[in-house]
């Protein structure tokens, strides 16, 4: 068979160099890995027990493709209390990690050729998702503005691509890899441009609970009709391997994203969904305990 006949948008993608490197070095015992955004903590005991209970309760069936009602209700309450998100359960989709939420969102929001602004340096998957969906990734260097995207940079990027219909912008806040957390004023300063330009915002807030002495704000507060929030339990509850995340969005568009999700993965694993209910109903302080230890390590590294 001629592999050159396969989908060029996939053939052209390089597997993540970071993940390959991580795989290569993971064989060495005792090393401190600074490769992936991977908490070295175990999943909190109460969440593990909930997963075991759900197995014993034979929660082994397909769930509704949006995720179980209890989980969407729990996510609605948890994120409202944590960050002021304003989404009812029917505006919340349970996804296979943030990654699958991002994939379903990129697939749904844009048409081939559309431009998506990606502030850099960026988590690499956004560019890959743009490429595999036939979009035009527009990388914007933010090193001159403290790694914070500004309205001027958005306008300049649009002006520099007169042949491209720019329809989206990615905001990673808090940001991997830069560590930047947008202030309320920095987010508000973006609002008029994003609104006037009618851009979709994909707001990746997976690190929302890992801020140190500053508050996490969500752009969805000011642009609820244009924002899809991506979040999940990988970082806040050290559940990277369990693969559970959420997409939050306004009615209408989130229903379309749910369709893209359904045909690709059907639904997240049933057992993990029940464990995630426990994380969101009794694990409000789980991240705080990890954060305190991260902060100590950070101080040690910086010799504070
Ligand atoms: C910015 C960012 N978004 C998304 C993800 C993926 O999260 P998940 O494990 O929930 O798919 C990561 C993982 O490192 C990340 O750093």
């Amino acid at each position: 068979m001629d592999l050159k006949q396969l989908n060029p948008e996939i053939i052209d993608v390089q597997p993540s160099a970071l993940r390959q490197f991580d795989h290569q070095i993971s064989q060495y015992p005792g090393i401190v890995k600074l490769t992936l955004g991977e908490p070295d903590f175990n999943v909190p005991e109460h969440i593990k027990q909930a997963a075991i209970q759900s197995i014993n309760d034979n929660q082994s069936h397909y769930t509704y493709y949006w995720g179980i009602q209890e989980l969407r209700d729990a996510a609605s309450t948890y994120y409202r209390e944590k960050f002021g998100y304003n989404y009812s359960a029917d505006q919340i989709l349970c996804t296979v990690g943030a990654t699958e939420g991002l994939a379903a969102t990129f697939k749904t929001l844009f048409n081939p050729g559309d431009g998506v602004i990606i502030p850099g340096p960026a988590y690499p998957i956004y560019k890959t998702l743009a490429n595999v969906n036939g979009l035009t990734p527009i990388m914007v260097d933010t090193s001159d503005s403290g790694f914070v995207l500004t309205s001027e940079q958005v306008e300049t990027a649009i002006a520099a691509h007169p042949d491209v219909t720019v329809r989206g912008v990615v905001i990673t806040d808090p940001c991997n890899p830069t560590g930047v957390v947008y202030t309320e004023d920095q987010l508000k300063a973006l609002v008029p441009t994003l609104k006037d330009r009618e851009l979709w915002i994909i707001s990746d807030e997976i690190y929302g609970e890992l801020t140190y002495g500053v508050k996490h704000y969500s752009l969805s507060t000011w642009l609820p009709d244009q924002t899809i929030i991506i979040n999940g339990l990988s970082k806040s509850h050290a559940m990277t391997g369990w693969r559970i995340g959420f997409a939050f969005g306004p009615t209408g568009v989130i229903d379309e994203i749910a369709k893209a999700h359904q045909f690709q993965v059907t639904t997240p694993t049933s057992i993990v969904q029940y464990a995630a209910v426990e994380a969101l109903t009794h694990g409000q302080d789980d991240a705080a305990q990890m954060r305190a230890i991260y902060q100590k390590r950070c101080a040690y590294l910086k010799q504070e």
Side-chain angles (χ1 to χ4, degrees):
M1 299 292 282
D2 183 2
L3 298 188
K4 292 199 193 76
Q5 304 293 329
L6 299 181
N7 182 347
E9 268 147 12
I10 298 297
I11 291 179
D12 291 347
V13 170
Q14 296 304 317
S16 159
L18 184 57
R19 279 178 200 275
Q20 281 184 324
F21 176 68
D22 180 77
H23 180 66
Q24 274 169 21
I25 55 146
S26 293
Q27 57 180 303
Y28 301 110
I31 56 167
V32 177
K33 287 201 289 175
L34 300 177
T35 49
L36 307 178
E38 170 80 88
D40 61 337
F41 296 101
N42 293 327
V43 173
E45 196 55 36
H46 67 111
I47 302 175
K48 289 202 272 194
Q49 290 308 322
I52 292 165
Q53 187 63 47
S54 78
I55 293 172
N56 289 333
D57 290 346
N58 295 308
Q59 300 291 7
S60 53
H61 304 282
Y62 289 127
T63 67
Y64 184 44
Y65 69 102
W66 282 76
I68 57 174
Q69 186 68 39
E70 299 94 301
L71 181 53
R72 289 180 298 130
D73 286 337
S76 174
T77 306
Y78 183 90
Y79 289 101
R80 188 184 307 271
E81 287 170 1
K82 283 273 174 203
F83 306 130
Y85 291 5
N86 189 17
Y87 297 89
S88 55
D90 59 0
Q91 297 171 313
I92 303 173
L93 176 68
C94 305
T95 59
V96 182
T99 304
E100 191 260 318
L102 287 165
T105 301
F106 269 79
K107 177 114 210 125
T108 305
L109 293 183
F110 308 114
N111 293 311
D114 284 351
V116 181
I117 293 175
I118 303 173
Y123 182 56
I125 202 168
Y126 312 129
K127 189 172 181 201
T128 305
L129 284 172
N131 285 331
V132 297
N133 284 292
L135 313 176
T136 311
I138 300 174
M139 306 307 292
V140 172
D141 180 357
T142 57
S143 51
D144 285 344
S145 52
F147 301 113
V148 166
L149 185 72
T150 65
S151 285
E152 294 69 33
Q153 288 166 343
V154 172
E155 293 294 354
T156 306
I158 293 173
H161 295 82
D163 302 333
V164 176
T165 309
V166 180
R167 301 205 38 248
V169 55
V170 175
I171 298 286
T172 313
D173 177 23
C175 183
N176 173 19
T178 64
V180 156
V181 182
Y182 283 64
T183 65
E184 186 177 15
D185 286 347
Q186 286 165 341
L187 289 174
K188 277 187 181 166
L190 281 166
V191 170
T193 302
L194 300 180
K195 200 174 191 127
D196 289 352
R197 294 284 184 176
E198 297 191 341
L199 297 174
W200 286 113
I201 297 123
I202 301 174
S203 186
D204 183 343
E205 303 181 19
I206 189 80
Y207 282 102
E209 294 205 41
L210 297 183
T211 62
Y212 302 88
V214 288
K215 190 171 165 204
H216 167 62
Y217 295 92
S218 173
L219 201 45
S220 65
T221 307
W222 302 282
L223 293 170
D225 297 339
Q226 289 170 238
T227 306
I228 310 299
I229 303 175
I230 304 295
N231 212 323
L233 302 185
S234 287
K235 319 293 177 180
S236 58
H237 293 76
M239 290 170 69
T240 47
W242 294 46
R243 313 306 301 130
I244 187 78
F246 307 100
F248 303 76
T251 302
V253 67
I254 194 71
D255 299 82
E256 298 302 323
I257 293 170
K259 290 190 324 202
H261 152 88
Q262 184 193 24
F263 76 66
Q264 297 197 84
V265 298
T266 312
T267 175
T269 307
S270 55
I271 297 154
V272 173
Q273 291 190 56
Y274 285 95
V277 173
E278 170 65 24
L280 295 182
T281 49
H282 297 108
Q284 286 87 346
D285 296 331
D286 290 348
Q289 294 171 25
M290 299 180 211
R291 192 168 52 228
I293 296 172
Y294 290 140
Q295 196 149 16
K296 266 197 201 156
R297 291 176 184 170
C298 184
Y300 173 76
L301 207 66
K302 290 162 69 185
Q303 295 298 317
E304 278 174 352

